[in-house]
Amino acid sequence: MLDTAVRAFSRQGPEVTLESIAREAGVGIGTLYRHFPTREALVEAAYRNELAKLCDAADELLTRLPPAEATRAWMDRFVDYLATKQGMADALRLVIAAGTNPYAQSRDLLVAALTRLLAAGVAAGTIRPDVDPGDVLAGLGGMSLAAQGPEQRDLAGRLLDLLMAGLRRPLRRAAPGPSGVGRADAGGP
């Protein structure tokens, strides 16, 4: 139901009927109301589910990929998450107007996920140890704003690659060569 609700609120905004969401999800309207007694409860649960999936992806990606690659893959998912959040913006405003803050724990959960990814990269020697996860999150948010919309997905990817390059541990410098100019140590990542 939650995935269906995210798609519906992203496509149609808060005007989408709960009956159409229930029908698309393959459940009766009574089932939907038993789980989510109000439209606002459904919107909030759908948003929080998207946030949880993104944050949980950090650990899942670290089990399958080297830390730097896991971090970059998570960044792609973050851009998708922000696009979904943007698509749900009108519906989320209804939740806020009803007196609930669906974003109350979002930043803390996102920073915790990024902290796990970056710490794994630092331990592997591929991510700089001086990176602040909050700064990375701010950068990701700014990049997502600069590259809104599916037609700008290539731009978002290039910006994410640029951010990732800044996160990588710099190459160590070897002693100067015969010309007096240092050369990168082949032992660095």
Side-chain angles (χ1 to χ4, degrees), residues 101-117:
N101 181 359
Y103 310 121
Q105 299 171 346
S106 299
R107 185 177 194 291
D108 291 343
L109 294 170
L110 291 166
V111 167
L114 265 170
T115 298
R116 292 191 304 276
L117 288 160

Side-chain angles (χ1 to χ4, degrees), residues 117-179:
L117 288 160
L118 296 173
V122 169
T126 56
I127 300 289
R128 294 170 33 183
D130 62 339
V131 174
D132 181 287
D135 292 347
V136 176
L137 185 61
L140 287 170
M143 288 176 184
S144 296
L145 288 174
Q148 286 183 357
E151 69 282 352
Q152 293 181 313
R153 190 65 167 127
D154 287 344
L155 173 60
R158 290 191 309 273
L159 292 172
L160 294 176
D161 288 343
L162 184 62
L163 176 59
M164 197 64 214
L167 295 177
R168 291 193 185 276
R169 185 176 193 91
L171 295 174
R172 289 174 278 161
R173 295 287 172 188
S179 66

Side-chain angles (χ1 to χ4, degrees), residues 20 39 105:
S20 68
R39 174 180 300 276
Q105 299 171 346

Side-chain angles (χ1 to χ4, degrees), residues 40 44 48 92-102 104:
E40 292 80 12
E44 182 176 5
R48 289 186 188 275
L92 286 163
R93 279 191 272 284
L94 292 177
V95 174
I96 294 168
T100 303
N101 181 359

Side-chain angles (χ1 to χ4, degrees), residues 4-55:
T4 301
V6 166
R7 284 191 306 275
F9 288 122
S10 294
R11 283 190 317 253
Q12 302 171 39
E15 305 83 38
V16 67
T17 66
L18 297 184
E19 290 80 9
S20 68
I21 292 173
R23 187 173 37 257
E24 189 178 332
V27 300
I29 190 66
T31 300
L32 187 140
Y33 277 117
R34 269 193 301 283
H35 292 282
F36 311 104
T38 65
R39 174 180 300 276
E40 292 80 12
L42 177 59
V43 171
E44 182 176 5
Y47 166 72
R48 289 186 188 275
N49 187 58
E50 290 300 299
L51 175 66
K53 286 193 302 189
L54 174 64
C55 293

